[in-house]
Amino acid sequence: MSVNGIGQNYYQNYVVTTKNAQNINGTGKADSTYELSEAEEMEIFKKEFYDDLSKINIHRTVSNAAVNISEEAFKAMKDVPGYRDKILSLLQRDLEASYVPGDCSVLITVGATLDDYRGCSWSVGYDSEFHMRSRNSFYKRTSGKQDKQKEILEKYLQKRAWVKKQQQEILNKKIVKQEQERNRLLQLWNNERQLAEASNAYEANIMMENVADCNL
């Protein structure tokens, strides 16, 4: 599975925060008098939580998984004793669980209280809402099956477009051939009509000559 999401940023932010804490006095050595700000403490907290969340073994029936965590939830997990461990335990329970039918997408939302904790799941073939709602998730892991399905669909559409083009070309050739045959028959009919008119004219001329001879 490929891993993405907002949580990846906390790796870089954690490194930057640590360097700032060590180099704040400009000497390259840690300054024992430096204290982390609340924002820096939260960055480190989120990074550590992301590490623990990444260690959860997602069940094979889950093709895509995402976890949305609000800022209020992070603050509660950081300040309320035991809340972080409880949320991590719930996430482990729900991400490692077997889902029926298999091959589904799971989205879990974490809030400031346990009452705000909820999960949703969709079959991979009908999970457009999952992709929309998980767009800015703190943590997201996908199997790549969606990309594979997209590739298959694109190939199918390309093949269908090619077949349609071939059918149109065959139809165009058939139309041209029919038009040519129609013109040939029309020309033949015109030739026969002209020949008939010429024959009638000739016969009429002969009859007039015969009548003239009889009158002599």
Side-chain angles (χ1 to χ4, degrees):
M1 285 188 173
S2 59
V3 180
N4 49 44
I6 297 175
Q8 286 182 307
N9 297 331
Y10 294 114
Y11 283 103
Q12 296 178 347
N13 293 338
Y14 175 78
V15 173
V16 173
T17 301
T18 304
K19 287 183 178 180
N20 288 340
Q22 293 178 345
N23 300 326
I24 194 67
N25 59 5
T27 63
K29 298 180 180 180
D31 188 345
S32 59
T33 62
Y34 177 75
E35 294 184 1
L36 294 175
S37 66
E38 290 185 6
E40 290 169 338
E41 288 181 355
M42 182 58 75
E43 288 291 328
I44 295 175
F45 178 84
K46 289 179 179 179
K47 188 270 175 185
E48 292 174 346
F49 188 83
Y50 187 87
D51 286 343
D52 290 338
L53 182 55
S54 299
K55 295 175 183 177
I56 295 178
N57 295 318
I58 298 178
H59 196 273
R60 58 182 176 80
T61 58
V62 179
S63 297
N64 305 306
V67 180
N68 291 339
I69 305 178
S70 65
E71 290 300 319
E72 293 78 8
F74 275 118
K75 189 175 188 307
M77 285 192 288
K78 182 175 179 295
D79 297 338
V80 178
Y83 189 58
R84 177 189 185 278
D85 293 338
K86 181 62 177 177
I87 291 298
L88 198 59
S89 177
L90 290 174
L91 290 173
Q92 183 175 5
R93 179 200 68 185
D94 294 336
L95 292 176
E96 292 183 350
S98 174
Y99 288 82
V100 179
D103 199 16
C104 66
S105 298
V106 177
L107 174 67
I108 298 175
T109 301
V110 180
T113 67
L114 291 178
D115 292 336
D116 298 324
Y117 183 96
R118 61 182 59 87
C120 301
S121 64
W122 299 265
S123 173
V124 167
Y126 304 92
D127 61 354
S128 58
E129 187 172 356
F130 166 82
H131 292 288
M132 179 183 67
R133 292 171 58 182
S134 65
R135 188 172 302 166
N136 297 317
S137 295
F138 172 77
Y139 177 84
K140 187 175 182 180
R141 182 182 295 183
T142 59
S143 65
K145 290 183 178 180
Q146 192 71 17
D147 295 335
K148 185 64 177 178
Q149 290 179 344
K150 182 179 180 181
E151 180 182 352
I152 293 174
L153 177 60
E154 289 178 348
K155 288 183 178 179
Y156 166 74
L157 293 176
Q158 289 176 358
K159 184 176 181 180
R160 189 175 70 173
W162 180 83
V163 171
K164 187 175 181 180
K165 181 180 178 181
Q166 292 296 313
Q167 291 175 339
Q168 186 63 46
E169 289 180 355
I170 293 174
L171 179 61
N172 291 341
K173 289 180 180 179
K174 185 177 180 180
I175 293 174
V176 170
K177 187 175 182 180
Q178 290 175 343
E179 183 67 18
Q180 289 175 343
E181 180 64 14
R182 189 184 73 85
N183 291 335
R184 186 186 70 81
L185 293 175
L186 182 61
Q187 184 64 39
L188 180 61
W189 181 80
N190 287 333
N191 292 341
E192 290 178 350
R193 186 184 64 177
Q194 291 175 359
L195 181 61
E197 290 177 351
S199 178
N200 292 336
Y202 174 77
E203 291 177 356
N205 186 52
I206 293 298
M207 290 179 65
M208 291 181 65
E209 290 179 355
N210 290 336
V211 170
D213 292 339
C214 291
N215 293 330
L216 291 177

Short mmCIF file of all heavy atoms in Angstrom, two decimals, residues 76-119:
data_model
loop_
_atom_site.label_atom_id
_atom_site.label_comp_id
_atom_site.label_asym_id
_atom_site.label_seq_id
_atom_site.Cartn_x
_atom_site.Cartn_y
_atom_site.Cartn_z
N ALA A 76 -7.09 17.25 22.71
CA ALA A 76 -7.63 16.38 23.75
C ALA A 76 -6.71 15.20 24.01
O ALA A 76 -6.47 14.81 25.17
CB ALA A 76 -9.02 15.90 23.36
N MET A 77 -6.18 14.60 22.94
CA MET A 77 -5.27 13.47 23.11
C MET A 77 -4.00 13.88 23.83
O MET A 77 -3.39 13.09 24.56
CB MET A 77 -4.94 12.86 21.74
CG MET A 77 -6.06 12.03 21.14
SD MET A 77 -5.53 11.05 19.71
CE MET A 77 -5.31 12.35 18.47
N LYS A 78 -3.57 15.12 23.63
CA LYS A 78 -2.35 15.60 24.26
C LYS A 78 -2.58 15.99 25.73
O LYS A 78 -1.71 15.77 26.58
CB LYS A 78 -1.83 16.81 23.48
CG LYS A 78 -0.51 17.40 23.99
CD LYS A 78 -0.04 18.49 23.06
CE LYS A 78 1.26 19.11 23.57
NZ LYS A 78 1.08 19.82 24.86
N ASP A 79 -3.78 16.53 26.01
CA ASP A 79 -4.01 17.08 27.36
C ASP A 79 -4.78 16.14 28.28
O ASP A 79 -4.58 16.17 29.50
CB ASP A 79 -4.78 18.41 27.25
CG ASP A 79 -3.98 19.46 26.49
OD1 ASP A 79 -2.74 19.33 26.44
OD2 ASP A 79 -4.59 20.42 25.97
N VAL A 80 -5.67 15.32 27.73
CA VAL A 80 -6.51 14.47 28.57
C VAL A 80 -5.81 13.12 28.79
O VAL A 80 -5.56 12.40 27.81
CB VAL A 80 -7.89 14.24 27.93
CG1 VAL A 80 -8.74 13.31 28.79
CG2 VAL A 80 -8.59 15.57 27.71
N PRO A 81 -5.52 12.77 30.01
CA PRO A 81 -4.83 11.50 30.29
C PRO A 81 -5.62 10.30 29.77
O PRO A 81 -6.81 10.17 30.00
CB PRO A 81 -4.75 11.48 31.83
CG PRO A 81 -4.84 12.91 32.24
CD PRO A 81 -5.75 13.56 31.24
N GLY A 82 -4.92 9.42 29.06
CA GLY A 82 -5.52 8.19 28.59
C GLY A 82 -6.30 8.30 27.29
O GLY A 82 -6.61 7.26 26.67
N TYR A 83 -6.63 9.52 26.85
CA TYR A 83 -7.44 9.67 25.64
C TYR A 83 -6.66 9.24 24.39
O TYR A 83 -7.22 8.60 23.50
CB TYR A 83 -7.92 11.11 25.50
CG TYR A 83 -8.96 11.30 24.40
CD1 TYR A 83 -10.15 10.59 24.42
CD2 TYR A 83 -8.75 12.17 23.34
CE1 TYR A 83 -11.10 10.74 23.43
CE2 TYR A 83 -9.68 12.35 22.34
CZ TYR A 83 -10.86 11.62 22.39
OH TYR A 83 -11.79 11.77 21.38
N ARG A 84 -5.39 9.58 24.34
CA ARG A 84 -4.57 9.19 23.19
C ARG A 84 -4.52 7.67 23.05
O ARG A 84 -4.72 7.14 21.95
CB ARG A 84 -3.15 9.73 23.36
CG ARG A 84 -2.19 9.32 22.24
CD ARG A 84 -0.75 9.72 22.60
NE ARG A 84 0.17 9.46 21.50
CZ ARG A 84 0.71 8.28 21.24
NH1 ARG A 84 0.38 7.22 22.01
NH2 ARG A 84 1.55 8.13 20.24
N ASP A 85 -4.26 6.98 24.14
CA ASP A 85 -4.17 5.52 24.08
C ASP A 85 -5.51 4.90 23.72
O ASP A 85 -5.56 3.89 23.00
CB ASP A 85 -3.69 4.97 25.44
CG ASP A 85 -2.26 5.38 25.74
OD1 ASP A 85 -1.52 5.70 24.79
OD2 ASP A 85 -1.87 5.38 26.93
N LYS A 86 -6.61 5.49 24.21
CA LYS A 86 -7.93 4.97 23.90
C LYS A 86 -8.22 5.11 22.40
O LYS A 86 -8.73 4.16 21.77
CB LYS A 86 -8.99 5.71 24.72
CG LYS A 86 -10.41 5.23 24.47
CD LYS A 86 -10.60 3.77 24.87
CE LYS A 86 -12.02 3.32 24.68
NZ LYS A 86 -12.22 1.87 25.00
N ILE A 87 -7.90 6.27 21.83
CA ILE A 87 -8.13 6.49 20.40
C ILE A 87 -7.27 5.56 19.57
O ILE A 87 -7.74 4.96 18.58
CB ILE A 87 -7.84 7.96 20.02
CG1 ILE A 87 -8.90 8.89 20.64
CG2 ILE A 87 -7.80 8.13 18.51
CD1 ILE A 87 -10.31 8.62 20.15
N LEU A 88 -6.01 5.40 19.95
CA LEU A 88 -5.11 4.53 19.21
C LEU A 88 -5.61 3.08 19.27
O LEU A 88 -5.53 2.34 18.28
CB LEU A 88 -3.70 4.63 19.78
CG LEU A 88 -2.56 4.13 18.88
CD1 LEU A 88 -2.54 4.89 17.57
CD2 LEU A 88 -1.23 4.25 19.60
N SER A 89 -6.16 2.69 20.42
CA SER A 89 -6.72 1.34 20.56
C SER A 89 -7.94 1.15 19.66
O SER A 89 -8.10 0.09 19.03
CB SER A 89 -7.10 1.09 22.02
OG SER A 89 -7.70 -0.18 22.18
N LEU A 90 -8.80 2.16 19.59
CA LEU A 90 -9.97 2.08 18.72
C LEU A 90 -9.57 2.01 17.25
O LEU A 90 -10.16 1.25 16.46
CB LEU A 90 -10.89 3.29 18.96
CG LEU A 90 -11.61 3.34 20.31
CD1 LEU A 90 -12.35 4.66 20.48
CD2 LEU A 90 -12.58 2.17 20.45
N LEU A 91 -8.58 2.80 16.88
CA LEU A 91 -8.10 2.79 15.50
C LEU A 91 -7.52 1.42 15.13
O LEU A 91 -7.77 0.90 14.04
CB LEU A 91 -7.05 3.88 15.29
CG LEU A 91 -7.56 5.32 15.31
CD1 LEU A 91 -6.40 6.31 15.28
CD2 LEU A 91 -8.50 5.58 14.14
N GLN A 92 -6.77 0.85 16.06
CA GLN A 92 -6.22 -0.48 15.81
C GLN A 92 -7.32 -1.52 15.67
O GLN A 92 -7.28 -2.37 14.78
CB GLN A 92 -5.28 -0.87 16.96
CG GLN A 92 -4.60 -2.21 16.75
CD GLN A 92 -3.59 -2.52 17.84
OE1 GLN A 92 -3.45 -1.78 18.81
NE2 GLN A 92 -2.88 -3.61 17.69
N ARG A 93 -8.34 -1.42 16.52
CA ARG A 93 -9.47 -2.35 16.45
C ARG A 93 -10.18 -2.26 15.10
O ARG A 93 -10.48 -3.28 14.47
CB ARG A 93 -10.45 -2.04 17.58
CG ARG A 93 -11.69 -2.93 17.59
CD ARG A 93 -12.81 -2.28 18.39
NE ARG A 93 -13.33 -1.07 17.72
CZ ARG A 93 -14.24 -0.26 18.26
NH1 ARG A 93 -14.72 -0.52 19.47
NH2 ARG A 93 -14.65 0.81 17.60
N ASP A 94 -10.43 -1.04 14.62
CA ASP A 94 -11.23 -0.85 13.42
C ASP A 94 -10.44 -1.05 12.13
O ASP A 94 -10.99 -1.47 11.12
CB ASP A 94 -11.87 0.54 13.43
CG ASP A 94 -12.89 0.69 14.55
OD1 ASP A 94 -13.42 -0.34 15.00
OD2 ASP A 94 -13.13 1.84 14.98
N LEU A 95 -9.15 -0.74 12.15
CA LEU A 95 -8.34 -0.91 10.95
C LEU A 95 -7.87 -2.35 10.77
O LEU A 95 -7.62 -2.79 9.64
CB LEU A 95 -7.13 0.03 10.99
CG LEU A 95 -7.45 1.52 10.87
CD1 LEU A 95 -6.18 2.36 11.03
CD2 LEU A 95 -8.11 1.84 9.53
N GLU A 96 -7.75 -3.08 11.86
CA GLU A 96 -7.34 -4.48 11.77
C GLU A 96 -8.53 -5.42 11.66
O GLU A 96 -8.35 -6.64 11.52
CB GLU A 96 -6.49 -4.86 12.99
CG GLU A 96 -5.14 -4.16 13.02
CD GLU A 96 -4.29 -4.61 14.20
OE1 GLU A 96 -4.84 -5.32 15.08
OE2 GLU A 96 -3.08 -4.27 14.24
N ALA A 97 -9.75 -4.88 11.70
CA ALA A 97 -10.95 -5.71 11.63
C ALA A 97 -11.21 -6.17 10.21
O ALA A 97 -10.78 -5.54 9.24
CB ALA A 97 -12.16 -4.93 12.15
N SER A 98 -11.92 -7.30 10.08
CA SER A 98 -12.30 -7.83 8.78
C SER A 98 -13.63 -7.20 8.36
O SER A 98 -14.57 -7.13 9.16
CB SER A 98 -12.43 -9.35 8.85
OG SER A 98 -12.93 -9.86 7.63
N TYR A 99 -13.71 -6.76 7.11
CA TYR A 99 -14.92 -6.11 6.61
C TYR A 99 -15.59 -6.99 5.56
O TYR A 99 -14.93 -7.61 4.73
CB TYR A 99 -14.60 -4.74 6.01
CG TYR A 99 -14.25 -3.71 7.06
CD1 TYR A 99 -12.97 -3.65 7.60
CD2 TYR A 99 -15.21 -2.80 7.52
CE1 TYR A 99 -12.65 -2.71 8.57
CE2 TYR A 99 -14.89 -1.86 8.48
CZ TYR A 99 -13.62 -1.82 9.01
OH TYR A 99 -13.30 -0.89 9.97
N VAL A 100 -16.91 -7.06 5.64
CA VAL A 100 -17.72 -7.85 4.70
C VAL A 100 -18.68 -6.91 3.98
O VAL A 100 -19.44 -6.18 4.64
CB VAL A 100 -18.50 -8.95 5.43
CG1 VAL A 100 -19.35 -9.73 4.44
CG2 VAL A 100 -17.54 -9.88 6.17
N PRO A 101 -18.72 -6.92 2.63
CA PRO A 101 -17.81 -7.71 1.79
C PRO A 101 -16.42 -7.12 1.78
O PRO A 101 -16.23 -5.95 2.14
CB PRO A 101 -18.46 -7.59 0.41
CG PRO A 101 -19.15 -6.26 0.45
CD PRO A 101 -19.66 -6.11 1.86
N GLY A 102 -15.45 -7.90 1.38
CA GLY A 102 -14.06 -7.43 1.36
C GLY A 102 -13.81 -6.41 0.27
O GLY A 102 -14.69 -6.05 -0.49
N ASP A 103 -12.55 -6.00 0.19
CA ASP A 103 -12.13 -5.03 -0.83
C ASP A 103 -12.92 -3.74 -0.69
O ASP A 103 -13.64 -3.32 -1.59
CB ASP A 103 -12.31 -5.62 -2.22
CG ASP A 103 -11.49 -4.87 -3.26
OD1 ASP A 103 -10.59 -4.13 -2.87
OD2 ASP A 103 -11.77 -5.03 -4.46
N CYS A 104 -12.77 -3.09 0.47
CA CYS A 104 -13.54 -1.88 0.73
C CYS A 104 -12.61 -0.74 1.15
O CYS A 104 -11.41 -0.91 1.34
CB CYS A 104 -14.59 -2.13 1.81
SG CYS A 104 -13.87 -2.48 3.43
N SER A 105 -13.19 0.44 1.28
CA SER A 105 -12.48 1.64 1.74
C SER A 105 -13.08 2.06 3.07
O SER A 105 -14.30 2.08 3.23
CB SER A 105 -12.61 2.77 0.72
OG SER A 105 -12.02 2.41 -0.51
N VAL A 106 -12.21 2.39 4.02
CA VAL A 106 -12.65 2.73 5.38
C VAL A 106 -12.17 4.13 5.73
O VAL A 106 -11.00 4.47 5.54
CB VAL A 106 -12.11 1.72 6.41
CG1 VAL A 106 -12.50 2.13 7.82
CG2 VAL A 106 -12.63 0.32 6.10
N LEU A 107 -13.08 4.94 6.23
CA LEU A 107 -12.75 6.29 6.68
C LEU A 107 -13.16 6.43 8.14
O LEU A 107 -14.31 6.18 8.50
CB LEU A 107 -13.48 7.34 5.84
CG LEU A 107 -13.34 8.80 6.30
CD1 LEU A 107 -11.90 9.27 6.13
CD2 LEU A 107 -14.28 9.71 5.53
N ILE A 108 -12.21 6.83 8.99
CA ILE A 108 -12.48 6.99 10.42
C ILE A 108 -12.27 8.46 10.80
O ILE A 108 -11.27 9.07 10.41
CB ILE A 108 -11.56 6.09 11.26
CG1 ILE A 108 -11.82 4.62 10.93
CG2 ILE A 108 -11.76 6.34 12.76
CD1 ILE A 108 -10.89 3.65 11.63
N THR A 109 -13.21 8.97 11.54
CA THR A 109 -13.14 10.37 11.99
C THR A 109 -12.95 10.40 13.51
O THR A 109 -13.68 9.73 14.25
CB THR A 109 -14.43 11.13 11.63
OG1 THR A 109 -14.61 11.08 10.20
CG2 THR A 109 -14.35 12.58 12.07
N VAL A 110 -11.97 11.18 13.95
CA VAL A 110 -11.66 11.28 15.37
C VAL A 110 -11.92 12.71 15.83
O VAL A 110 -11.44 13.67 15.22
CB VAL A 110 -10.19 10.90 15.66
CG1 VAL A 110 -9.89 11.03 17.14
CG2 VAL A 110 -9.91 9.49 15.17
N GLY A 111 -12.70 12.84 16.91
CA GLY A 111 -13.01 14.15 17.47
C GLY A 111 -12.46 14.32 18.88
O GLY A 111 -11.67 13.50 19.36
N ALA A 112 -12.92 15.37 19.54
CA ALA A 112 -12.40 15.71 20.87
C ALA A 112 -12.91 14.77 21.96
O ALA A 112 -12.34 14.71 23.05
CB ALA A 112 -12.75 17.15 21.21
N THR A 113 -14.01 14.03 21.67
CA THR A 113 -14.56 13.09 22.64
C THR A 113 -14.82 11.77 21.94
O THR A 113 -14.86 11.68 20.72
CB THR A 113 -15.87 13.61 23.25
OG1 THR A 113 -16.88 13.66 22.22
CG2 THR A 113 -15.68 15.01 23.84
N LEU A 114 -15.05 10.73 22.75
CA LEU A 114 -15.34 9.42 22.19
C LEU A 114 -16.66 9.43 21.42
O LEU A 114 -16.86 8.63 20.51
CB LEU A 114 -15.38 8.37 23.30
CG LEU A 114 -14.02 8.05 23.97
CD1 LEU A 114 -14.22 7.04 25.08
CD2 LEU A 114 -13.02 7.54 22.94
N ASP A 115 -17.57 10.31 21.80
CA ASP A 115 -18.84 10.42 21.09
C ASP A 115 -18.65 10.90 19.65
O ASP A 115 -19.52 10.68 18.80
CB ASP A 115 -19.79 11.37 21.82
CG ASP A 115 -20.25 10.81 23.16
OD1 ASP A 115 -20.23 9.57 23.31
OD2 ASP A 115 -20.61 11.61 24.05
N ASP A 116 -17.53 11.57 19.39
CA ASP A 116 -17.25 12.10 18.05
C ASP A 116 -16.54 11.08 17.16
O ASP A 116 -16.32 11.34 15.98
CB ASP A 116 -16.39 13.36 18.14
CG ASP A 116 -17.10 14.48 18.90
OD1 ASP A 116 -18.32 14.59 18.76
OD2 ASP A 116 -16.42 15.22 19.64
N TYR A 117 -16.17 9.95 17.75
CA TYR A 117 -15.46 8.92 17.00
C TYR A 117 -16.46 8.13 16.15
O TYR A 117 -17.46 7.63 16.65
CB TYR A 117 -14.72 7.98 17.95
CG TYR A 117 -13.90 6.91 17.26
CD1 TYR A 117 -12.54 7.09 17.05
CD2 TYR A 117 -14.48 5.71 16.84
CE1 TYR A 117 -11.77 6.12 16.42
CE2 TYR A 117 -13.73 4.74 16.21
CZ TYR A 117 -12.38 4.94 16.00
OH TYR A 117 -11.63 3.97 15.38
N ARG A 118 -16.21 8.03 14.85
CA ARG A 118 -17.11 7.29 13.97
C ARG A 118 -16.36 6.77 12.76
O ARG A 118 -15.28 7.28 12.42
CB ARG A 118 -18.27 8.17 13.51
CG ARG A 118 -17.87 9.40 12.72
CD ARG A 118 -19.09 10.24 12.33
NE ARG A 118 -19.81 10.66 13.49
CZ ARG A 118 -19.54 11.78 14.19
NH1 ARG A 118 -18.53 12.54 13.81
NH2 ARG A 118 -20.24 12.10 15.24
N GLY A 119 -16.92 5.75 12.14
CA GLY A 119 -16.29 5.18 10.96
C GLY A 119 -17.30 4.89 9.86
O GLY A 119 -18.48 4.64 10.14
#
